[in-house]
Amino acid sequence: MRDLHTLGGSLAAPKKRKPVGQPGRARWRKLLFGCGGALPVLLSACGQTDLSSLTLYESRDLSAASSQILLLTNQIRRQGLTCQGVGYPPSPALLEDKTLSAAAQHRAEDLALTGDFSHTPADGKTYSYWLSRVHFFVEFPAAVATGENLGMAVNVQEVMNAWKDSTFGHCEAQFTGIYLRSGDRAVMPGFSRIGLGEAIGANGNHYWVAMFAG
């Protein structure tokens, strides 16, 4: 079964957590749909996050599967893509950001632990929470746009296809030079950085997280 989500939002000192199905090497509008085992579930969200006075940010290398997603994402961006019937020209490649990847991996592990596949999980640990925990905003001198795509899929190709075919903002955020702001779907200048994480829950679900920054 595949699931997907896209979102954006705000942020707190790193705290080590027990990894859940952790694939990588650590270094320190809400949408939900699905049918049988074929359709994806997606979440996508984007917005603005204020800076905090933070230091000592984490970093993380990508897993092999996440590296493949980054490669495929930038191949698509170089070619241009049609999202929701709108053709978009080629876009600059997204830069891998290891601190974003640290936050994305924490997010994926939390999804695997709780199974709460939502941009607003009951434990309050949104993507902005994890950006805060890894002190991502120490890298930036001012407020920056941020966002996330979530997916639940069996492999890289399935989650990539689901994000590309999404009608809820996942495609634009990840593969074009714009993103659709959560809520009013206003067209905003696109992201320049990406971080990726993945984890497998005890129930066997494979969770994928892409986090973005302007």
Side-chain angles (χ1 to χ4, degrees), residues 2 11 33 40 46 57 60 69 96 106 126 133 137 143 147 149 161 165 169 176 182 206:
R2 299 181 293 169
L11 312 172
F33 61 92
C46 306
Y57 51 89
R60 178 179 292 271
I69 288 177
E96 176 192 353
H106 283 306
T126 64
R133 297 292 285 186
F137 291 96
N149 279 352
N161 287 341
D165 294 341
T176 79
S182 296
H206 198 150

Side-chain angles (χ1 to χ4, degrees), residues 92-207:
L94 292 173
L95 301 176
E96 176 192 353
D97 188 295
K98 293 181 183 296
T99 305
L100 274 178
S101 290
Q105 186 60 38
H106 283 306
R107 181 78 162 103
E109 290 168 10
D110 195 58
L111 286 170
L113 181 66
T114 65
D116 191 352
F117 190 68
S118 167
H119 286 305
T120 54
D123 64 7
K125 296 177 180 178
T126 64
Y127 82 93
S128 293
Y129 169 88
W130 293 114
L131 288 175
S132 176
R133 297 292 285 186
V134 302
H135 301 311
F136 173 74
F137 291 96
V138 74
E139 300 183 50
F140 295 91
V144 63
T146 56
E148 75 171 356
N149 279 352
L150 303 181
M152 188 165 65
V154 298
N155 55 40
V156 167
Q157 196 57 60
E158 189 174 56
V159 75
M160 287 290 288
N161 287 341
W163 281 335
K164 286 190 295 182
D165 294 341
S166 168
T167 59
F168 296 91
H170 305 79
C171 183
E172 291 84 351
Q174 190 154 342
F175 306 116
T176 79
I178 64 103
Y179 72 86
L180 304 179
R181 188 169 59 192
S182 296
D184 60 5
R185 291 176 64 87
V187 174
M188 306 295 290
F191 299 111
S192 61
R193 298 178 178 226
I194 188 172
L196 295 154
E198 54 159 328
I200 300 174
N203 56 8
N205 289 338
H206 198 150
Y207 299 93

Side-chain angles (χ1 to χ4, degrees), residues 42-129:
L42 302 161
L43 290 180
S44 184
C46 306
Q48 295 286 331
T49 304
D50 291 332
L51 280 178
S52 300
S53 298
L54 302 174
T55 55
L56 301 175
Y57 51 89
E58 293 182 36
S59 66
R60 178 179 292 271
D61 290 334
L62 295 179
S63 67
S66 292
S67 294
Q68 188 179 0
I69 288 177
L70 177 61
L71 177 66
L72 293 172
T73 293
N74 283 332
Q75 286 178 350
I76 292 168
R77 290 175 69 91
R78 283 195 298 269
Q79 296 165 2
L81 185 69
T82 296
C83 298
Q84 303 188 66
V86 178
Y88 292 93
S91 304
L94 292 173
L95 301 176
E96 176 192 353
D97 188 295
K98 293 181 183 296
T99 305
L100 274 178
S101 290
Q105 186 60 38
H106 283 306
R107 181 78 162 103
E109 290 168 10
D110 195 58
L111 286 170
L113 181 66
T114 65
D116 191 352
F117 190 68
S118 167
H119 286 305
T120 54
D123 64 7
K125 296 177 180 178
T126 64
Y127 82 93
S128 293
Y129 169 88

